[in-house]
PDB file of all heavy atoms in Angstrom:
ATOM      1  N   ALA A   7       1.870   1.212   0.943  1.00  0.00           N
ATOM      2  CA  ALA A   7       2.741   2.339   0.961  1.00  0.00           C
ATOM      3  C   ALA A   7       3.435   2.657  -0.344  1.00  0.00           C
ATOM      4  O   ALA A   7       3.528   3.845  -0.822  1.00  0.00           O
ATOM      5  CB  ALA A   7       3.860   2.235   2.003  1.00  0.00           C
ATOM      6  N   GLY A  27       3.138  17.252 -16.747  1.00  0.00           N
ATOM      7  CA  GLY A  27       4.167  17.993 -16.384  1.00  0.00           C
ATOM      8  C   GLY A  27       5.289  17.912 -17.293  1.00  0.00           C
ATOM      9  O   GLY A  27       5.322  17.364 -18.361  1.00  0.00           O
ATOM     10  N   LYS A  38      -6.612  17.488 -12.462  1.00  0.00           N
ATOM     11  CA  LYS A  38      -6.843  17.317 -11.115  1.00  0.00           C
ATOM     12  C   LYS A  38      -6.031  16.108 -10.488  1.00  0.00           C
ATOM     13  O   LYS A  38      -5.641  15.318 -11.195  1.00  0.00           O
ATOM     14  CB  LYS A  38      -8.398  17.110 -10.974  1.00  0.00           C
ATOM     15  CG  LYS A  38      -9.263  18.230 -11.527  1.00  0.00           C
ATOM     16  CD  LYS A  38     -10.646  17.961 -11.358  1.00  0.00           C
ATOM     17  CE  LYS A  38     -11.556  19.189 -11.818  1.00  0.00           C
ATOM     18  NZ  LYS A  38     -12.903  18.816 -11.664  1.00  0.00           N
ATOM     19  N   GLY A  45      -0.952   3.941 -12.404  1.00  0.00           N
ATOM     20  CA  GLY A  45      -1.299   2.680 -11.512  1.00  0.00           C
ATOM     21  C   GLY A  45      -0.685   1.432 -12.247  1.00  0.00           C
ATOM     22  O   GLY A  45       0.324   1.502 -12.900  1.00  0.00           O
ATOM     23  N   SER A  47      -0.395  -0.994 -15.149  1.00  0.00           N
ATOM     24  CA  SER A  47      -0.750  -0.932 -16.525  1.00  0.00           C
ATOM     25  C   SER A  47      -1.171  -2.426 -16.892  1.00  0.00           C
ATOM     26  O   SER A  47      -0.433  -3.291 -16.786  1.00  0.00           O
ATOM     27  CB  SER A  47       0.326  -0.504 -17.271  1.00  0.00           C
ATOM     28  OG  SER A  47       0.718   0.837 -16.913  1.00  0.00           O
ATOM     29  N   SER A  50      -0.983  -4.065 -23.126  1.00  0.00           N
ATOM     30  CA  SER A  50      -1.361  -3.116 -24.195  1.00  0.00           C
ATOM     31  C   SER A  50      -2.281  -3.868 -25.102  1.00  0.00           C
ATOM     32  O   SER A  50      -2.340  -4.993 -25.331  1.00  0.00           O
ATOM     33  CB  SER A  50      -0.152  -2.777 -25.008  1.00  0.00           C
ATOM     34  OG  SER A  50      -0.563  -2.064 -26.066  1.00  0.00           O
ATOM     35  N   ALA A  61      -3.864  -3.706 -41.326  1.00  0.00           N
ATOM     36  CA  ALA A  61      -2.591  -4.255 -41.744  1.00  0.00           C
ATOM     37  C   ALA A  61      -2.338  -3.840 -43.297  1.00  0.00           C
ATOM     38  O   ALA A  61      -3.248  -3.813 -44.070  1.00  0.00           O
ATOM     39  CB  ALA A  61      -2.576  -5.732 -41.746  1.00  0.00           C
ATOM     40  N   GLY A  64       1.466  -5.694 -48.382  1.00  0.00           N
ATOM     41  CA  GLY A  64       2.599  -5.380 -49.187  1.00  0.00           C
ATOM     42  C   GLY A  64       2.807  -3.965 -49.627  1.00  0.00           C
ATOM     43  O   GLY A  64       3.578  -3.552 -50.384  1.00  0.00           O
ATOM     44  N   ASP A  80      11.076   9.634 -29.702  1.00  0.00           N
ATOM     45  CA  ASP A  80      10.979   9.541 -28.267  1.00  0.00           C
ATOM     46  C   ASP A  80       9.729   9.018 -27.692  1.00  0.00           C
ATOM     47  O   ASP A  80       8.770   9.905 -27.674  1.00  0.00           O
ATOM     48  CB  ASP A  80      11.390  10.934 -27.638  1.00  0.00           C
ATOM     49  CG  ASP A  80      11.274  10.952 -26.084  1.00  0.00           C
ATOM     50  OD1 ASP A  80      11.544   9.954 -25.548  1.00  0.00           O
ATOM     51  OD2 ASP A  80      11.004  12.007 -25.628  1.00  0.00           O
ATOM     52  N   ASP A  89       7.800   1.890 -11.137  1.00  0.00           N
ATOM     53  CA  ASP A  89       8.651   1.158 -10.031  1.00  0.00           C
ATOM     54  C   ASP A  89       9.710   1.899  -9.411  1.00  0.00           C
ATOM     55  O   ASP A  89      10.412   1.256  -8.638  1.00  0.00           O
ATOM     56  CB  ASP A  89       9.172  -0.239 -10.728  1.00  0.00           C
ATOM     57  CG  ASP A  89       8.035  -1.111 -11.339  1.00  0.00           C
ATOM     58  OD1 ASP A  89       6.915  -1.110 -10.692  1.00  0.00           O
ATOM     59  OD2 ASP A  89       8.290  -1.653 -12.402  1.00  0.00           O
ATOM     60  N   ASP A  99      18.445  19.634 -14.661  1.00  0.00           N
ATOM     61  CA  ASP A  99      18.634  21.074 -15.139  1.00  0.00           C
ATOM     62  C   ASP A  99      17.986  20.990 -16.503  1.00  0.00           C
ATOM     63  O   ASP A  99      18.370  20.159 -17.319  1.00  0.00           O
ATOM     64  CB  ASP A  99      20.023  21.398 -15.168  1.00  0.00           C
ATOM     65  CG  ASP A  99      20.317  22.850 -15.547  1.00  0.00           C
ATOM     66  OD1 ASP A  99      19.250  23.502 -15.849  1.00  0.00           O
ATOM     67  OD2 ASP A  99      21.389  23.244 -15.553  1.00  0.00           O
ATOM     68  N   ASP A 122       2.601   2.694 -22.358  1.00  0.00           N
ATOM     69  CA  ASP A 122       2.351   1.509 -23.269  1.00  0.00           C
ATOM     70  C   ASP A 122       1.832   2.048 -24.606  1.00  0.00           C
ATOM     71  O   ASP A 122       2.316   1.531 -25.633  1.00  0.00           O
ATOM     72  CB  ASP A 122       1.295   0.716 -22.764  1.00  0.00           C
ATOM     73  CG  ASP A 122       1.864  -0.111 -21.494  1.00  0.00           C
ATOM     74  OD1 ASP A 122       3.108  -0.369 -21.377  1.00  0.00           O
ATOM     75  OD2 ASP A 122       1.075  -0.415 -20.643  1.00  0.00           O
ATOM     76  N   VAL A 131       5.559   3.678 -36.013  1.00  0.00           N
ATOM     77  CA  VAL A 131       6.196   4.835 -36.760  1.00  0.00           C
ATOM     78  C   VAL A 131       7.568   4.341 -37.384  1.00  0.00           C
ATOM     79  O   VAL A 131       7.867   4.652 -38.410  1.00  0.00           O
ATOM     80  CB  VAL A 131       6.314   6.117 -35.799  1.00  0.00           C
ATOM     81  CG1 VAL A 131       7.247   7.222 -36.557  1.00  0.00           C
ATOM     82  CG2 VAL A 131       4.864   6.609 -35.577  1.00  0.00           C
ATOM     83  N   GLY A 139      13.205   4.808 -45.953  1.00  0.00           N
ATOM     84  CA  GLY A 139      14.571   4.870 -46.197  1.00  0.00           C
ATOM     85  C   GLY A 139      15.386   5.642 -45.063  1.00  0.00           C
ATOM     86  O   GLY A 139      16.447   5.673 -44.985  1.00  0.00           O
ATOM     87  N   HIS A 146      14.494   5.247 -26.046  1.00  0.00           N
ATOM     88  CA  HIS A 146      14.500   4.056 -25.172  1.00  0.00           C
ATOM     89  C   HIS A 146      13.435   3.139 -25.837  1.00  0.00           C
ATOM     90  O   HIS A 146      12.658   3.610 -26.715  1.00  0.00           O
ATOM     91  CB  HIS A 146      14.066   4.352 -23.691  1.00  0.00           C
ATOM     92  CG  HIS A 146      12.561   4.692 -23.552  1.00  0.00           C
ATOM     93  ND1 HIS A 146      11.672   3.781 -23.183  1.00  0.00           N
ATOM     94  CD2 HIS A 146      11.853   5.855 -23.776  1.00  0.00           C
ATOM     95  CE1 HIS A 146      10.437   4.210 -23.202  1.00  0.00           C
ATOM     96  NE2 HIS A 146      10.541   5.545 -23.633  1.00  0.00           N
ATOM     97  N   LEU A 174       6.463  11.351 -28.546  1.00  0.00           N
ATOM     98  CA  LEU A 174       5.136  10.987 -28.579  1.00  0.00           C
ATOM     99  C   LEU A 174       4.446  10.825 -27.239  1.00  0.00           C
ATOM    100  O   LEU A 174       4.946  10.440 -26.241  1.00  0.00           O
ATOM    101  CB  LEU A 174       5.121   9.564 -29.338  1.00  0.00           C
ATOM    102  CG  LEU A 174       5.600   9.494 -30.698  1.00  0.00           C
ATOM    103  CD1 LEU A 174       5.636   8.129 -31.223  1.00  0.00           C
ATOM    104  CD2 LEU A 174       4.894  10.351 -31.615  1.00  0.00           C
ATOM    105  N   ASP A 177      -2.501  13.009 -23.723  1.00  0.00           N
ATOM    106  CA  ASP A 177      -2.953  13.844 -22.665  1.00  0.00           C
ATOM    107  C   ASP A 177      -3.653  13.254 -21.445  1.00  0.00           C
ATOM    108  O   ASP A 177      -4.236  12.132 -21.693  1.00  0.00           O
ATOM    109  CB  ASP A 177      -3.627  15.068 -23.197  1.00  0.00           C
ATOM    110  CG  ASP A 177      -3.237  16.449 -22.388  1.00  0.00           C
ATOM    111  OD1 ASP A 177      -2.788  16.324 -21.201  1.00  0.00           O
ATOM    112  OD2 ASP A 177      -3.526  17.494 -22.878  1.00  0.00           O
ATOM    113  N   ALA A 218      -0.620  16.596 -41.457  1.00  0.00           N
ATOM    114  CA  ALA A 218      -0.618  15.264 -41.850  1.00  0.00           C
ATOM    115  C   ALA A 218      -1.275  14.241 -40.881  1.00  0.00           C
ATOM    116  O   ALA A 218      -2.152  13.403 -41.224  1.00  0.00           O
ATOM    117  CB  ALA A 218       0.886  14.800 -41.960  1.00  0.00           C
ATOM    118  N   GLU A 225      -8.826  13.286 -36.861  1.00  0.00           N
ATOM    119  CA  GLU A 225      -8.946  14.020 -35.671  1.00  0.00           C
ATOM    120  C   GLU A 225      -8.914  15.382 -35.859  1.00  0.00           C
ATOM    121  O   GLU A 225      -8.273  16.094 -36.768  1.00  0.00           O
ATOM    122  CB  GLU A 225      -7.915  13.491 -34.612  1.00  0.00           C
ATOM    123  CG  GLU A 225      -7.992  12.071 -34.323  1.00  0.00           C
ATOM    124  CD  GLU A 225      -9.381  11.634 -33.659  1.00  0.00           C
ATOM    125  OE1 GLU A 225      -9.784  12.396 -32.731  1.00  0.00           O
ATOM    126  OE2 GLU A 225      -9.842  10.747 -34.136  1.00  0.00           O
ATOM    127  N   GLY A 236      -4.194  23.815 -33.090  1.00  0.00           N
ATOM    128  CA  GLY A 236      -3.384  22.459 -32.838  1.00  0.00           C
ATOM    129  C   GLY A 236      -1.987  22.589 -32.560  1.00  0.00           C
ATOM    130  O   GLY A 236      -1.248  21.687 -32.428  1.00  0.00           O
ATOM    131  N   VAL A 251      18.445  20.181 -32.322  1.00  0.00           N
ATOM    132  CA  VAL A 251      17.741  19.799 -33.615  1.00  0.00           C
ATOM    133  C   VAL A 251      16.263  19.967 -33.670  1.00  0.00           C
ATOM    134  O   VAL A 251      15.716  20.080 -32.563  1.00  0.00           O
ATOM    135  CB  VAL A 251      17.927  18.196 -33.856  1.00  0.00           C
ATOM    136  CG1 VAL A 251      19.649  17.879 -33.811  1.00  0.00           C
ATOM    137  CG2 VAL A 251      17.315  17.412 -32.965  1.00  0.00           C
ATOM    138  N   ALA A 280       0.267   6.291 -36.944  1.00  0.00           N
ATOM    139  CA  ALA A 280       1.687   6.121 -37.306  1.00  0.00           C
ATOM    140  C   ALA A 280       1.855   6.714 -38.707  1.00  0.00           C
ATOM    141  O   ALA A 280       2.855   7.366 -39.094  1.00  0.00           O
ATOM    142  CB  ALA A 280       2.006   4.634 -37.321  1.00  0.00           C
ATOM    143  N   ALA A 293      10.931  18.016 -48.077  1.00  0.00           N
ATOM    144  CA  ALA A 293      10.744  19.523 -48.738  1.00  0.00           C
ATOM    145  C   ALA A 293      12.105  20.328 -48.413  1.00  0.00           C
ATOM    146  O   ALA A 293      12.112  21.522 -48.769  1.00  0.00           O
ATOM    147  CB  ALA A 293       9.548  20.207 -48.350  1.00  0.00           C
TER     148      ALA A 293
END
Side-chain angles (χ1 to χ4, degrees):
K38 296 179 181 178
S47 300
S50 169
D80 175 33
D89 300 324
D99 188 357
D122 291 328
V131 169
H146 76 96
L174 302 173
D177 212 343
E225 298 300 311
V251 302

